[in-house]
Amino acid sequence: MPGTFVISLDYELFWGVRDKRTLAGYGANILGTREAVPAMLDLFRAHQVRATWATVGFLFFDQKAELLANLPALALQPAYANANLSPYPALAGIGLDEATDPYHFGLDLLRRIQATPGQEIATHTFCHYYALERGQTANTFRADLAAAVAAGRRIGVEIKSLVFPRNQYNAEYLAIGAELGLTSYRGNEPHWIYKERSEEQQALWKRGARLLDAYINLSGHHTFRLADVAGAGPPYNLPASRFLRPWSRRLAAAEELRLRRIEAGMTHAARTGEIFHLWWHPENFGANLPQNLANLRRLLAHFDHLRKAHGFESATMAELAERLLAQRAPQTLASTFPS
């Protein structure tokens, strides 16, 4: 099998950072996303790259009234021990529609993603749900995910893939995803510095280790084969390989190291027939857009080179899961009709 390049993006606008940032401090990044997403789509189209857009369910609406009419029941909304984590109280203060509030509505961009060939619309849960925080339960997660699937169907999308917000992967909830028709999810890099944690469990030194790993190979390439994930699922774990950090003026002198680190992982996957899974947030490109697009353009040019040299392919998360399901089908038939 040839190697495969997978891209997933966490499309969340202000809902992804509202508990940590303010519109005054981060609003420019959110508004910049309106320019960044079309630019990324143009690059994906030009390089024939497929991508999975894990989208917060709130962004499937462009009218406040419609969003409010499609919320899970109050009793099924997450009751986090840290009340600031819940976005539901913030709904009272958002604008009436996307035209007046581009920070909290994203259907227009979602339609552009939907209209671009090769792009998968997945879920980042309905409300940017934190699956490891105290106070939330399996029942509230099920209600949230059901609302996300229903929001997808409103625009003609069958949700097949899941990305847990803040990478709070919860193995106990995978069966719920299977019940609702999900076939894949993005797990964390298989190394202790990337182990899933609640916000309370985050440690500054571990964040520092992850930052250093972006520039120097401390933890490996994190590539994998489909055979490695075929045993459990669906939904199948298609773990992250590398986070594409945004360009930083403060760290610009080390930029070449960071890009070479990603290219080395891509090259390893192409040469060994493995999968390299790159991810980021579109909002990361909202500031310093020219520099971030230049970096993405370089990585996609490297993909072009690997495609010509090694047959490196591009696939969405759902497409990889379809391959696994297709491999499983003959086994299922054989067990149903033994010779």
Side-chain angles (χ1 to χ4, degrees):
M1 294 290 292
T4 306
F5 185 38
V6 177
I7 288 176
S8 61
L9 302 104
D10 301 4
Y11 175 41
E12 52 194 33
L13 293 183
F14 196 61
W15 297 114
V17 295
R18 51 153 296 282
D19 56 312
K20 291 192 170 188
R21 298 178 182 266
T22 64
L23 280 176
Y26 201 69
N29 279 73
I30 303 301
L31 291 181
T33 308
R34 301 273 163 181
E35 185 178 353
V37 168
M40 284 187 276
L41 289 172
D42 287 344
L43 285 175
F44 291 159
R45 186 185 293 109
H47 292 269
Q48 300 178 42
V49 166
R50 313 173 79 78
T52 295
W53 298 74
T55 304
V56 170
F58 286 2
L59 302 183
F60 283 76
F61 302 86
D62 60 358
Q63 301 285 329
K64 180 177 180 178
E66 290 185 350
L67 171 56
L68 296 180
N70 286 274
L71 301 181
L74 181 61
L76 292 174
Q77 295 171 11
Y80 302 117
N82 177 359
N84 185 53
L85 295 178
S86 176
Y88 285 99
L91 289 172
I94 67 173
L96 293 178
D97 53 32
E98 189 166 2
T100 58
D101 188 349
Y103 304 100
H104 294 101
F105 294 95
L107 183 57
D108 180 63
L109 288 179
L110 196 58
R111 294 284 192 191
R112 297 188 70 157
I113 296 166
Q114 188 179 18
T116 303
Q119 308 306 298
E120 175 196 4
I121 295 175
T123 186
H124 204 32
T125 71
F126 189 68
C127 75
H128 204 255
Y129 188 103
Y130 302 127
L132 292 178
E133 298 297 335
R134 290 185 298 116
Q136 58 81 36
T137 67
N139 283 338
T140 56
F141 180 79
R142 178 181 284 103
D144 181 275
L145 203 56
V149 170
R153 288 174 179 160
R154 288 183 73 254
I155 65 168
V157 171
E158 284 294 325
I159 300 294
K160 293 297 182 182
S161 303
L162 164 68
V163 171
F164 288 93
R166 302 271 164 87
N167 295 314
Q168 290 191 12
Y169 155 67
N170 190 329
E172 296 179 8
Y173 291 172
L174 297 182
I176 297 171
E179 290 172 18
L180 295 171
L182 271 63
T183 58
S184 72
Y185 67 97
R186 189 183 75 208
N188 299 347
E189 296 91 326
H191 191 274
W192 63 268
I193 64 174
Y194 295 102
K195 182 174 173 55
E196 57 278 0
R197 301 173 181 85
S198 68
E199 289 299 304
E200 293 175 323
Q201 296 169 326
Q202 294 289 351
L204 187 60
W205 69 272
K206 291 180 181 177
R207 292 179 187 272
R210 293 196 293 271
L211 176 63
L212 185 60
D213 191 41
Y215 295 85
I216 301 170
N217 189 348
L218 299 180
S219 67
H221 294 306
H222 301 305
T223 58
F224 61 98
R225 297 177 182 272
L226 280 184
D228 298 335
V229 300
Y236 297 102
N237 180 16
L238 305 176
S241 302
R242 184 68 32 208
F243 173 51
L244 176 58
R245 292 177 176 272
W247 182 88
S248 167
R249 188 178 304 278
R250 181 170 57 91
L251 297 171
E255 194 71 354
E256 184 67 20
L257 284 176
R258 185 172 68 87
L259 293 175
R260 286 185 180 179
R261 172 90 163 97
I262 296 171
E263 289 172 340
M266 294 170 65
T267 300
H268 176 79
R271 288 176 174 172
T272 60
E274 297 185 338
I275 298 161
F276 184 85
H277 190 163
L278 183 68
W279 72 279
W280 70 93
H281 306 88
E283 296 79 13
N284 296 149
F285 280 36
N288 303 308
L289 182 59
Q291 294 91 338
N292 283 308
L293 287 178
N295 287 344
L296 179 58
R297 195 175 292 111
R298 169 173 165 170
L299 294 176
L300 296 184
H302 188 60
F303 167 74
D304 287 339
H305 164 72
L306 295 174
R307 178 164 47 193
K308 293 176 183 176
H310 303 285
F312 206 31
E313 297 181 341
S314 172
T316 66
M317 290 175 61
E319 287 169 340
L320 286 186
E322 286 173 7
R323 295 181 192 177
L324 287 165
L325 289 168
Q327 293 172 10
R328 181 181 177 181
Q331 299 172 4
T332 302
L333 286 172
S335 62
T336 305
F337 303 103
S339 56

